């Protein structure tokens, strides 16, 4: 294990979170709380086999576990409760008495039905913070609609600005809206927990996949709202307004170049022996370079094609922001990944060991140590005084 792994004092030590969650947005967000020391108790309905992510392939890990599931549930605990059962809901309320938060990522109409809202729980614990992560929110006509990440990328316009201009609308590779919604929810939840510590009163926090997806349109959305400007897909992943900021093909691959400032532009043409471009009126400013981008790319393409990606990285790194464009294998075999400790090897009961991604946050110079995600109902005895097998047989 890298010597930058293992936080000495976990900042969320003593925070207790009950998580009624499945798949991506909720589990991804609460994993950050667990990594930073919170006790995250994952509540799973054994009648449906728990979180469906446990069975999502292609790489399964023994009984009710998978690498897909491990990716979002490190450092948590698991108990099995059917919240529609009066007896199990009573057990849930006992756990909620001293909890700081309840998190769910159910359909927007479900928290009210399952009594997971602040109004339902405040008599049990007036300082509890209740986070609701849903597809479209809880206070509108779509509250009961199911929804997933890719649908949000489609409707919020993100797919319209992703990919090549001549290609079809394209989604991001990973489920980035799930992850962004999970993290947005954690910011709101922690704010509510801090307020509760100050005032003694918790509350409801709501985030939705749709709202977060639309918010990711950021400045392109602001341009449209104020000027009716419609941003379109750009060739070679180019920036919408600054140039040259895009990919270029080298003799053996691709490189991403980002001249976000005039200084970086000057450094680029100096290192590439293209100083004559500095006095060319077509490229004198960033707006000019954007206006005459096709002509500029023609010149830069010719020069980049004369050397390898490695050669150009050696010439340009440190002078301006550049990066190689890697495939999956190259990205994870990159020596820099190990150098910064972004991969950990952890024990796993069924697999022996498992390599997982480290948390990207460092506390006092160290990343949180990872612990494998729990087996279904692994902590029934600790919290419910039931073994996992008893939990499985309980109606």
């Amino acid at each position: 294990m890298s010597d930058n792994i293992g936080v000495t004092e976990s900042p969320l030590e003593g925070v207790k979170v009950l998580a009624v969650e499945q798949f991506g947005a909720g589990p991804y967000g609460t994993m950050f709380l667990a990594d930073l020391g919170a006790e995250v108790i994952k509540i799973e309905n054994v009648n449906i086999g728990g979180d469906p992510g446990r069975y999502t392939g292609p790489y399964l890990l023994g009984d009710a576990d998978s690498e897909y599931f491990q990716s979002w549930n490190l450092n948590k605990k698991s108990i099995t409760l059917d919240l529609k059962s009066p007896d199990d809901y009573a057990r849930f309320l006992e756990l909620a008495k001293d909890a700081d938060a309840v998190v769910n990522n159910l359909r927007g109409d479900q928290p009210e039905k399952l009594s997971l809202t602040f109004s339902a729980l405040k008599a049990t614990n007036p300082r509890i913070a209740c986070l609701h992560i849903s597809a479209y929110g809880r206070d509108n006509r779509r509250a009961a609609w199911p929804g997933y990440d890719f649908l949000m990328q489609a409707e919020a316009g993100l797919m319209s600005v992703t990919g090549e201009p001549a290609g079809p609308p394209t989604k991001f590779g990973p489920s980035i809206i799930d992850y962004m919604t999970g993290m947005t929810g954690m910011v709101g939840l922690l704010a509510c927990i801090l307020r509760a510590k100050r005032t003694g009163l918790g509350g409801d926090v709501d985030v939705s996949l749709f709202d977060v997806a639309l918010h990711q349109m950021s400045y392109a959305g602001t341009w449209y709202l104020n000027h009716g400007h419609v941003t379109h897909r750009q060739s070679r992943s180019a920036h919408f307004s600054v140039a040259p900021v895009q990919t270029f093909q080298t003799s053996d691959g691709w490189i991403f170049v980002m001249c976000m400032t005039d200084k970086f532009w000057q450094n680029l043409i100096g290192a590439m022996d293209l100083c004559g471009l500095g006095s060319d009126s077509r490229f004198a400013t960033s707006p000019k370079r954007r206006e005459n981008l096709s002509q500029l790319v023609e010149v830069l393409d010719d020069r980049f094609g004369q050397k390898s990606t490695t050669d150009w990285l050696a010439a340009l790194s440190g002078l301006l922001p550049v990066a190689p464009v890697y495939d999956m294998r190259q990205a994870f075999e990159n020596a820099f990944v190990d150098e910064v400790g972004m991969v950990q090897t952890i024990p796993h009961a069924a697999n022996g060991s498992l390599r997982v991604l480290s948390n990207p946050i460092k506390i006092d110079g160290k990343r949180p140590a990872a612990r494998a995600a729990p087996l279904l109902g692994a902590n029934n005895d600790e919290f419910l005084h039931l073994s996992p097998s008893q939990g499985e047989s309980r109606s």
Side-chain angles (χ1 to χ4, degrees):
M1 184 178 292
S2 171
D3 60 6
N4 74 348
I5 302 295
V7 175
T8 303
E9 185 174 345
S10 299
L12 294 182
E13 191 75 34
V15 173
K16 179 179 176 181
V17 179
L18 307 179
V20 184
E21 58 181 20
Q22 60 183 1
F23 283 130
Y28 182 81
T30 58
M31 184 172 68
F32 275 73
L33 303 183
D35 287 352
L36 295 175
E39 183 177 48
V40 176
I41 304 168
K42 190 176 178 75
I43 296 173
E44 303 183 70
N45 186 351
V46 73
N47 296 325
I48 61 170
D51 187 333
R54 290 182 175 277
Y55 310 95
T56 302
Y59 299 104
L60 303 178
L61 297 168
D63 185 35
D65 194 7
S66 71
E67 293 187 5
Y68 182 95
F69 177 78
Q70 289 287 330
S71 299
W72 299 330
N73 290 285
L74 300 173
N75 286 322
K76 299 180 186 180
K77 298 180 178 181
S78 170
I79 61 173
T80 51
L81 291 175
D82 178 0
L83 296 181
K84 294 180 180 179
S85 157
D87 288 343
D88 275 6
Y89 186 75
R91 294 183 177 98
F92 168 78
L93 288 181
E94 282 298 312
L95 293 170
K97 283 181 178 179
D98 65 347
D100 295 280
V102 172
V103 175
N104 77 83
N105 68 322
L106 304 172
R107 274 198 341 251
D109 62 334
Q110 291 301 298
E112 189 79 31
K113 292 179 180 179
L114 294 175
S115 297
L116 298 177
T117 61
F118 180 67
S119 62
L121 296 174
K122 64 182 179 181
T124 299
N125 180 353
R127 64 180 182 82
I128 200 160
C130 302
L131 170 62
H132 313 285
I133 299 174
S134 59
Y136 299 101
R138 296 187 301 132
D139 57 356
N140 58 69
R141 61 186 175 85
R142 294 189 183 184
W145 287 20
Y148 292 94
D149 178 303
F150 300 164
L151 303 182
M152 309 309 157
Q153 292 192 42
E155 188 172 2
L158 291 165
M159 289 178 65
S160 76
V161 295
T162 307
E164 286 296 310
T170 304
K171 72 174 182 66
F172 290 94
S175 300
I176 198 69
I177 300 305
D178 272 345
Y179 308 148
M180 284 300 302
T181 304
M183 295 307 296
T184 302
M186 294 311 113
V187 173
L189 180 66
L190 290 172
C192 196
I193 290 173
L194 286 174
R195 185 184 71 177
K197 290 186 180 298
R198 186 179 73 252
T199 66
L201 192 65
D204 288 305
V205 178
D206 280 270
V207 298
S208 74
L209 296 173
F210 180 83
D211 292 355
V212 170
L214 196 66
H215 197 260
Q216 298 312 297
M217 291 299 282
S218 188
Y219 59 87
T222 302
W223 292 343
Y224 179 78
L225 291 172
N226 290 282
H227 307 285
H229 176 80
V230 177
T231 300
H232 297 286
R233 294 190 292 278
Q234 303 294 305
S235 180
R236 296 207 209 156
S237 300
H239 195 280
F240 297 137
S241 58
V242 184
V245 177
Q246 64 177 76
T247 58
F248 291 95
Q249 192 165 14
T250 67
S251 64
D252 65 349
W254 292 85
I255 190 170
F256 209 114
V257 173
M258 298 193 67
C259 292
M260 296 295 292
T261 67
D262 285 334
K263 174 186 174 181
F264 292 145
W265 163 246
Q266 293 296 331
N267 287 347
L268 175 70
I269 59 178
M272 298 185 76
D273 295 325
L274 292 172
C275 293
L277 295 182
S279 58
D280 192 319
S281 61
R282 296 173 299 170
F283 313 131
T285 65
S286 183
K288 282 287 188 181
R289 292 192 288 275
R290 191 71 185 82
E291 181 184 337
N292 298 295
L293 184 58
S294 61
Q295 299 166 59
L296 177 59
V297 167
E298 186 176 349
V299 176
L300 294 179
D301 271 348
D302 180 68
R303 188 73 178 97
F304 272 112
Q306 295 172 19
K307 293 184 180 181
S308 69
T309 299
T310 299
D311 288 339
W312 284 121
L313 289 172
L316 300 176
S317 293
L319 294 176
L320 65 147
V322 293
V325 179
Y326 281 163
D327 61 20
M328 185 71 72
R329 181 186 300 277
Q330 292 170 315
F332 283 93
E333 296 301 324
N334 183 355
F336 191 65
V337 172
D338 285 333
E339 182 182 334
V340 298
M342 269 305 296
V343 172
Q344 295 181 42
T345 300
I346 61 174
H348 185 277
N351 205 56
S353 65
L354 189 68
R355 297 182 75 201
V356 298
L357 287 166
S358 297
N359 192 295
I361 297 174
K362 289 183 181 179
I363 304 293
D364 300 324
K366 293 184 179 291
R367 302 186 191 279
R371 184 182 70 249
L375 295 176
L376 180 61
N379 303 98
N380 279 348
D381 183 55
E382 179 182 356
F383 295 104
L384 306 176
H385 310 296
L386 297 167
S387 70
S389 61
Q390 285 177 303
E392 289 171 10
S393 62
R394 192 178 72 249
S395 63

